[in-house]
């Protein structure tokens, strides 16, 4: 009797994983995809930013202007306190840039599944913001020490916009560089068909690397 064989892992990426892949060059792309594949196979992974995101959302929802962010820095596990302390000034600055706390409300976003060629990519902004003047934004947070590259920001914003009807109808995609408190939006005049071709090529290479690592 032969031993059961495990089914191969289907290539898959989150929005964060795919845009980090796009940002890499040369052999580092293969190393990165291999790491994603191993992580998925082991079902491992931990998000140290979870409490921080909850606090930021609470400040928007309850119009508290940063109170919850201040509190979470004090109550988070000591291991993560330096990280939260590094994130707080920029996050607070972005929060204040939205205007008076009562002029914005939290909006719920939904995850969507994009297909780039045959590669599924999970589109998952953290939350939405609804402004008093009627504007709505779907927000993806960038936590890395380095600011997002032009390519990573463009890919993130394009993929969010591509599936905005499912994520948060009529919203504008925004990528917030948390450490610097800066909001990135899609530049005017970008050619979406060129971005689609570029991302399709990146996705095809991602799939090939993933399959080769099997």
């Amino acid at each position: 009797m032969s031993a059961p064989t495990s089914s191969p892992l289907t290539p898959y990426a989150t929005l964060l994983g795919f845009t980090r892949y796009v940002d890499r060059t040369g052999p580092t792309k293969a190393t990165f995809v291999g790491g994603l594949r191993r992580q998925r196979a082991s079902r491992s992974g931990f998000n140290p930013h979870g409490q921080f995101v909850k606090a930021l959302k609470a400040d928007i929802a309850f119009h508290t202007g940063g109170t919850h962010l201040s509190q979470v820095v004090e109550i988070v596990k000591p291991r993560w306190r330096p990280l939260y302390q590094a994130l707080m000034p920029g996050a607070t600055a972005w929060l204040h840039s939205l205007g008076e706390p009562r002029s914005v409300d939290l909006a719920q976003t939904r995850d969507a599944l994009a297909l780039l060629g045959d590669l599924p990519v999970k589109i998952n902004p953290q939350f939405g913001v609804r402004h008093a003047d009627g504007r709505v934004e779907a927000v993806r947070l960038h936590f890395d020490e380095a600011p997002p590259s032009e390519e990573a920001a463009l890919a993130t914003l394009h993929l969010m916009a591509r599936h905005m009807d499912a994520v948060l109808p009529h919203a504008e995609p925004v990528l917030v560089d948390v450490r610097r408190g800066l909001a990135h939006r899609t530049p005017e005049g970008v050619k979406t068909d060129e971005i689609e071709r570029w991302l399709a090529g990146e996705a095809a290479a991602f799939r090939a690397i993933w399959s080769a690592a099997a």
Side-chain angles (χ1 to χ4, degrees):
M1 181 176 177
S2 60
T5 57
S6 58
S7 57
L9 282 173
T10 304
Y12 167 86
T14 62
L15 181 59
L16 176 62
F18 184 71
T19 53
R20 281 181 169 172
Y21 159 79
V22 165
D23 215 17
R24 283 162 168 75
T25 58
T28 62
K29 281 183 177 285
T31 303
F32 182 73
V33 173
L36 289 180
R37 193 181 187 285
R38 288 191 298 274
Q39 187 180 70
R40 188 169 182 221
S42 64
R43 300 182 184 275
S44 63
F46 171 71
N47 177 15
H49 306 110
Q51 285 180 269
F52 194 89
V53 174
K54 286 181 181 178
L56 182 55
K57 290 169 67 174
D59 273 322
I60 297 170
F62 299 111
H63 316 292
T64 42
T67 302
H68 289 84
L69 284 175
S70 298
Q71 291 173 347
V72 78
V73 171
E74 299 302 321
I75 65 174
V76 72
K77 290 181 179 180
R79 177 183 179 184
W80 303 115
R81 191 162 296 141
L83 170 64
Y84 280 35
Q85 288 170 336
L87 295 172
M88 184 181 165
T92 304
W94 173 74
L95 190 62
H96 291 168
S97 76
L98 298 177
E100 288 297 318
R102 293 199 172 276
S103 70
V104 294
D105 286 297
L106 189 69
Q108 183 178 356
T109 56
R110 292 180 173 83
D111 293 349
L113 192 65
L115 276 178
L116 285 171
D118 294 326
L119 177 67
V121 180
K122 183 180 181 181
I123 311 300
N124 52 344
Q126 276 93 350
F127 55 85
V129 175
R130 197 176 302 277
H131 296 261
D133 62 6
R135 290 179 297 119
V136 187
E137 297 171 331
V139 178
R140 178 76 202 173
L141 302 173
H142 175 89
F143 292 106
D144 294 354
E145 289 188 25
S149 69
E150 182 179 346
E151 291 80 8
L154 195 59
T156 300
L157 294 167
H158 176 80
L159 289 172
M160 286 173 62
R162 189 180 190 244
H163 295 273
M164 196 57 74
D165 285 349
V167 170
L168 182 60
H170 312 298
E172 176 189 7
V174 177
L175 177 64
V176 175
D177 181 356
V178 177
R179 290 177 186 258
R180 282 149 286 271
L182 299 175
H184 297 266
R185 293 175 172 81
T186 305
E188 291 186 10
V190 296
K191 298 180 179 178
T192 56
D193 54 341
E194 292 183 2
I195 298 174
E196 278 289 325
R197 286 195 294 271
W198 164 53
L199 293 180
E202 293 284 0
F206 184 105
R207 278 189 63 94
I209 295 169
W210 182 290
S211 299

